[in-house]
Amino acid sequence: MNNEAVAANRRSMAVPEAIVAVSGGLLRVEHRAIQALMFLLSALILLNVVTRYTGYPIYWIDESAVYSVVWLTFIGASAMTRMRLDFAVTMLTERFSARGAAIFRVIATLGVVLFGVALGVMCWLWLDPVGIAQAGFDARDYAGQSFNFIYTERTQTLNWPTWVIYLIMPLFAFTMTLHALANLFEDLGLVAKQELPGFAAANADGVVN
């Protein structure tokens, strides 16, 4: 093997390693975000109980708690994808050989990647960043042209732009795809299976998620 072939092989291996490394860093950020959101949710619920008990309820707390749960759910689902802690049906795969289970694990992981890409495409069409930019970021003008009112809607009590809340969807699509790619590279043997410090153990090798 000449030097050019060796260099090309190293470059091809560098991409999976880079994606796995970025996925690991992102997983740590998600871990912190999950802790922060759980603390925020607990604080909002406690504050809601106290204010209602004293007869001075704060009207925006309920909506804040709902959005905290939404973001917590999607960030947690993304982290679970990397940790392979999502739901698994093993009625069929547990009867396969180790090689057969490994093949179906690759197929299942590839399905997650395709789902993440499809979700990302749908979020792109939904949020239409090109369209809103062409409208000069004028939400009313954009809504009149496209009948897409996502940039004109606001939340009921917080009065936040709803598109800010909806950003969790494209964010989830990106992070889930990245984590699924990292899992896929591990399943294909392109990189060694990574340890995930600070997290519960991932599923056993024979389980197809």
CSV table of all heavy atoms in Angstrom, one decimal, residues 10-37:
chain,number,residue,atom,x,y,z
A,10,ARG,N,-6.5,6.8,6.3
A,10,ARG,CA,-6.6,7.6,7.5
A,10,ARG,C,-7.6,8.6,7.5
A,10,ARG,O,-8.3,8.9,8.5
A,10,ARG,CB,-5.2,8.2,7.8
A,10,ARG,CG,-4.1,7.2,8.2
A,10,ARG,CD,-2.8,7.8,8.4
A,10,ARG,NE,-1.8,6.9,8.8
A,10,ARG,CZ,-0.5,7.2,9.0
A,10,ARG,NH1,-0.1,8.4,8.8
A,10,ARG,NH2,0.4,6.2,9.4
A,11,ARG,N,-7.8,9.3,6.4
A,11,ARG,CA,-8.8,10.4,6.3
A,11,ARG,C,-10.2,9.8,6.4
A,11,ARG,O,-11.1,10.3,7.1
A,11,ARG,CB,-8.7,11.1,5.0
A,11,ARG,CG,-7.5,12.1,5.0
A,11,ARG,CD,-7.6,13.0,3.8
A,11,ARG,NE,-7.6,12.3,2.5
A,11,ARG,CZ,-6.4,12.1,1.8
A,11,ARG,NH1,-5.3,12.5,2.3
A,11,ARG,NH2,-6.5,11.5,0.7
A,12,SER,N,-10.4,8.6,5.8
A,12,SER,CA,-11.7,8.0,5.8
A,12,SER,C,-12.1,7.5,7.3
A,12,SER,O,-13.2,7.5,7.7
A,12,SER,CB,-11.8,6.8,4.9
A,12,SER,OG,-10.9,5.8,5.3
A,13,MET,N,-11.0,7.1,8.0
A,13,MET,CA,-11.3,6.7,9.4
A,13,MET,C,-11.4,7.8,10.3
A,13,MET,O,-12.0,7.7,11.4
A,13,MET,CB,-10.1,5.8,9.9
A,13,MET,CG,-10.0,4.4,9.1
A,13,MET,SD,-11.5,3.4,9.3
A,13,MET,CE,-11.5,3.1,11.1
A,14,ALA,N,-10.9,9.0,9.9
A,14,ALA,CA,-11.0,10.2,10.8
A,14,ALA,C,-12.4,10.7,10.9
A,14,ALA,O,-12.8,11.3,11.9
A,14,ALA,CB,-10.0,11.3,10.3
A,15,VAL,N,-13.2,10.5,9.8
A,15,VAL,CA,-14.6,11.0,9.9
A,15,VAL,C,-15.4,10.3,10.9
A,15,VAL,O,-16.0,11.0,11.8
A,15,VAL,CB,-15.2,10.9,8.5
A,15,VAL,CG1,-16.7,11.3,8.5
A,15,VAL,CG2,-14.5,11.8,7.5
A,16,PRO,N,-15.4,9.0,10.9
A,16,PRO,CA,-16.2,8.3,12.0
A,16,PRO,C,-15.7,8.7,13.4
A,16,PRO,O,-16.5,8.9,14.3
A,16,PRO,CB,-16.0,6.8,11.7
A,16,PRO,CG,-15.7,6.8,10.3
A,16,PRO,CD,-14.9,8.0,10.0
A,17,GLU,N,-14.4,8.7,13.6
A,17,GLU,CA,-13.8,9.1,14.9
A,17,GLU,C,-14.2,10.5,15.3
A,17,GLU,O,-14.5,10.7,16.5
A,17,GLU,CB,-12.3,8.9,14.8
A,17,GLU,CG,-11.8,7.5,14.7
A,17,GLU,CD,-10.3,7.4,14.5
A,17,GLU,OE1,-9.7,8.5,14.4
A,17,GLU,OE2,-9.8,6.3,14.5
A,18,ALA,N,-14.2,11.4,14.4
A,18,ALA,CA,-14.6,12.8,14.7
A,18,ALA,C,-16.1,12.8,15.1
A,18,ALA,O,-16.5,13.5,16.0
A,18,ALA,CB,-14.4,13.7,13.5
A,19,ILE,N,-16.9,12.1,14.4
A,19,ILE,CA,-18.4,12.1,14.7
A,19,ILE,C,-18.6,11.5,16.0
A,19,ILE,O,-19.4,12.0,16.8
A,19,ILE,CB,-19.2,11.4,13.6
A,19,ILE,CG1,-19.2,12.2,12.3
A,19,ILE,CG2,-20.6,11.1,14.0
A,19,ILE,CD1,-19.9,11.6,11.1
A,20,VAL,N,-17.9,10.4,16.3
A,20,VAL,CA,-18.1,9.8,17.7
A,20,VAL,C,-17.6,10.7,18.8
A,20,VAL,O,-18.2,10.8,19.8
A,20,VAL,CB,-17.3,8.5,17.7
A,20,VAL,CG1,-17.3,7.9,19.1
A,20,VAL,CG2,-18.0,7.4,16.8
A,21,ALA,N,-16.5,11.5,18.5
A,21,ALA,CA,-16.0,12.4,19.5
A,21,ALA,C,-17.0,13.5,19.7
A,21,ALA,O,-17.3,13.9,20.9
A,21,ALA,CB,-14.7,12.9,19.1
A,22,VAL,N,-17.5,14.1,18.7
A,22,VAL,CA,-18.5,15.2,18.8
A,22,VAL,C,-19.8,14.6,19.5
A,22,VAL,O,-20.3,15.3,20.4
A,22,VAL,CB,-18.9,15.7,17.4
A,22,VAL,CG1,-20.0,16.7,17.5
A,22,VAL,CG2,-17.7,16.4,16.8
A,23,SER,N,-20.2,13.4,19.2
A,23,SER,CA,-21.3,12.8,19.9
A,23,SER,C,-21.1,12.7,21.4
A,23,SER,O,-22.0,13.0,22.2
A,23,SER,CB,-21.7,11.5,19.2
A,23,SER,OG,-22.7,10.8,19.9
A,24,GLY,N,-19.9,12.3,21.7
A,24,GLY,CA,-19.6,12.2,23.2
A,24,GLY,C,-19.6,13.5,23.9
A,24,GLY,O,-20.2,13.6,25.0
A,25,GLY,N,-19.1,14.5,23.2
A,25,GLY,CA,-19.1,15.9,23.8
A,25,GLY,C,-20.6,16.4,24.0
A,25,GLY,O,-20.9,17.0,25.0
A,26,LEU,N,-21.3,16.1,22.9
A,26,LEU,CA,-22.7,16.5,22.9
A,26,LEU,C,-23.5,15.8,24.0
A,26,LEU,O,-24.4,16.4,24.7
A,26,LEU,CB,-23.4,16.3,21.6
A,26,LEU,CG,-24.9,16.6,21.4
A,26,LEU,CD1,-25.1,18.1,21.6
A,26,LEU,CD2,-25.3,16.2,20.0
A,27,LEU,N,-23.2,14.5,24.2
A,27,LEU,CA,-23.9,13.8,25.2
A,27,LEU,C,-23.6,14.3,26.6
A,27,LEU,O,-24.5,14.4,27.5
A,27,LEU,CB,-23.4,12.3,25.2
A,27,LEU,CG,-24.1,11.3,26.1
A,27,LEU,CD1,-25.6,11.2,25.7
A,27,LEU,CD2,-23.5,9.9,26.0
A,28,ARG,N,-22.4,14.8,26.9
A,28,ARG,CA,-22.1,15.5,28.2
A,28,ARG,C,-22.9,16.7,28.3
A,28,ARG,O,-23.4,17.0,29.4
A,28,ARG,CB,-20.7,15.7,28.3
A,28,ARG,CG,-19.8,14.4,28.4
A,28,ARG,CD,-18.3,14.7,28.4
A,28,ARG,NE,-17.6,13.5,28.8
A,28,ARG,CZ,-17.2,12.6,27.9
A,28,ARG,NH1,-17.7,12.7,26.6
A,28,ARG,NH2,-16.5,11.5,28.3
A,29,VAL,N,-23.1,17.5,27.3
A,29,VAL,CA,-23.9,18.7,27.3
A,29,VAL,C,-25.3,18.4,27.6
A,29,VAL,O,-26.0,19.1,28.4
A,29,VAL,CB,-23.7,19.5,26.0
A,29,VAL,CG1,-24.7,20.7,26.0
A,29,VAL,CG2,-22.3,20.0,25.8
A,30,GLU,N,-25.8,17.4,26.9
A,30,GLU,CA,-27.2,16.9,27.1
A,30,GLU,C,-27.4,16.5,28.6
A,30,GLU,O,-28.5,16.7,29.2
A,30,GLU,CB,-27.6,15.8,26.2
A,30,GLU,CG,-27.7,16.3,24.7
A,30,GLU,CD,-27.9,15.2,23.8
A,30,GLU,OE1,-27.5,14.0,24.1
A,30,GLU,OE2,-28.5,15.4,22.7
A,31,HIS,N,-26.4,15.8,29.1
A,31,HIS,CA,-26.5,15.4,30.5
A,31,HIS,C,-26.7,16.6,31.5
A,31,HIS,O,-27.6,16.5,32.3
A,31,HIS,CB,-25.3,14.6,30.9
A,31,HIS,CG,-25.3,13.9,32.2
A,31,HIS,ND1,-24.2,13.7,33.0
A,31,HIS,CD2,-26.4,13.5,33.0
A,31,HIS,CE1,-24.6,13.1,34.2
A,31,HIS,NE2,-25.9,13.0,34.2
A,32,ARG,N,-25.9,17.6,31.2
A,32,ARG,CA,-26.1,18.8,32.1
A,32,ARG,C,-27.4,19.5,31.8
A,32,ARG,O,-28.0,20.0,32.8
A,32,ARG,CB,-24.9,19.8,31.7
A,32,ARG,CG,-23.5,19.2,32.0
A,32,ARG,CD,-23.4,18.9,33.5
A,32,ARG,NE,-22.0,18.4,33.8
A,32,ARG,CZ,-21.6,17.9,35.0
A,32,ARG,NH1,-22.5,17.8,35.9
A,32,ARG,NH2,-20.4,17.5,35.2
A,33,ALA,N,-27.8,19.5,30.6
A,33,ALA,CA,-29.1,20.2,30.2
A,33,ALA,C,-30.3,19.4,30.9
A,33,ALA,O,-31.2,20.0,31.4
A,33,ALA,CB,-29.3,20.2,28.7
A,34,ILE,N,-30.2,18.1,30.9
A,34,ILE,CA,-31.2,17.3,31.5
A,34,ILE,C,-31.3,17.6,33.0
A,34,ILE,O,-32.4,17.8,33.6
A,34,ILE,CB,-31.0,15.8,31.3
A,34,ILE,CG1,-31.2,15.5,29.8
A,34,ILE,CG2,-31.9,14.9,32.2
A,34,ILE,CD1,-30.8,14.1,29.4
A,35,GLN,N,-30.2,17.7,33.7
A,35,GLN,CA,-30.1,18.0,35.1
A,35,GLN,C,-30.7,19.4,35.4
A,35,GLN,O,-31.5,19.6,36.3
A,35,GLN,CB,-28.7,17.9,35.6
A,35,GLN,CG,-28.1,16.5,35.6
A,35,GLN,CD,-26.7,16.5,36.1
A,35,GLN,OE1,-25.9,17.4,35.8
A,35,GLN,NE2,-26.3,15.5,36.8
A,36,ALA,N,-30.3,20.3,34.5
A,36,ALA,CA,-30.8,21.7,34.7
A,36,ALA,C,-32.3,21.8,34.5
A,36,ALA,O,-33.1,22.4,35.3
A,36,ALA,CB,-30.1,22.7,33.7
A,37,LEU,N,-32.8,21.1,33.5
A,37,LEU,CA,-34.3,21.1,33.2
A,37,LEU,C,-35.1,20.4,34.3
A,37,LEU,O,-36.2,20.8,34.6
A,37,LEU,CB,-34.6,20.5,31.8
A,37,LEU,CG,-34.2,21.4,30.6
A,37,LEU,CD1,-34.3,20.6,29.3
A,37,LEU,CD2,-35.1,22.6,30.5
